[in-house]
Amino acid sequence: MSQKKSILFITLTAMLVAMQVVLGNILQVPFMEKQYNFGFQPILIAGWLLGAPSAMLVGALGDVIGSHLFPQGAYFPGFTLTNVLVGLCCGLILRRGKPTLLRVAITVVISMLINWLLNSLWLSITVPIAGGRSYWGWLIKRGPSYLVEIPANILIGFPLLASLRRAKIELK
């Protein structure tokens, strides 16, 4: 990889991390048992545009920086792991080829499944027992939110990636 392309890669990754911090922590919509945010979109873009390693970095750094700038309790690395796995998913499925509706939908469904299963586990571990729920309780309570979040992320993500592709913003 040329030095110019390396600088572009680093710059785009840093910009997507910043976007993930802002969209994942500042722009939040209270929704049922969780808050909907737009932090998935920069990870999706990184996965398609830059590949799995960069998408994993965007997910990890976005979570670590966001949880320290906008704390909602103590930092817990499990949530960072979730974002890393979502970045891996986005990079592996989307990196090579056109971002078709089917590929974006598959990516979103798998990513939201990872989020739902793992974040419910992390919540069952981190929320105090007195006011907390079991793992299955978290899964059941948060499930309907994810059923709404999946189509929302597809409806946002597909046109977003398609417009970036039409604008010829690609790194191959």
Side-chain angles (χ1 to χ4, degrees):
M1 184 181 290
S2 71
Q3 183 179 5
K4 185 177 179 181
K5 205 165 193 177
S6 294
I7 292 169
L8 181 61
F9 239 73
I10 292 167
T11 304
L12 286 172
T13 301
M15 286 175 41
L16 288 167
V17 167
M19 286 175 58
Q20 204 281 334
V21 170
V22 170
L23 294 175
N25 295 284
I26 295 176
L27 294 174
Q28 294 188 346
V29 179
F31 185 74
M32 298 168 114
E33 281 298 309
K34 61 185 284 312
Q35 291 195 356
Y36 179 77
N37 64 57
F38 302 93
F40 172 71
Q41 303 308 323
I43 299 172
L44 186 74
I45 294 168
W48 172 70
L49 191 60
L50 305 170
S54 288
M56 292 165 70
L57 194 59
V58 168
L61 289 177
D63 183 72
V64 170
I65 294 168
S67 66
H68 285 86
L69 288 178
F70 308 99
Q72 296 179 358
Y75 171 74
F76 183 72
F79 296 107
T80 304
L81 175 62
T82 300
N83 275 356
V84 167
L85 293 174
V86 166
L88 177 65
C89 172
C90 292
L92 290 178
I93 297 173
L94 293 174
R95 176 62 177 139
R96 299 286 175 212
K98 183 179 175 182
T100 64
L101 181 59
L102 179 62
R103 291 178 73 211
V104 172
I106 290 169
T107 304
V108 168
V109 168
I110 294 171
S111 296
M112 293 301 107
L113 191 61
I114 291 168
N115 263 310
W116 179 49
L117 295 173
L118 287 181
N119 285 350
S120 295
L121 175 64
W122 309 140
L123 286 169
S124 72
I125 292 170
T126 59
V127 173
I129 297 297
R133 296 185 174 96
S134 69
Y135 176 64
W136 293 106
W138 281 110
L139 277 177
I140 292 166
K141 198 77 166 166
R142 293 166 55 92
S145 299
Y146 282 101
L147 289 176
V148 173
E149 196 168 332
I150 287 171
N153 277 320
I154 294 170
L155 289 173
I156 294 169
F158 175 67
L160 181 63
L161 294 183
S163 66
L164 288 173
R165 186 171 190 271
R166 279 193 304 277
K168 305 249 189 283
I169 299 177
E170 294 187 53
L171 293 177
K172 301 288 182 200

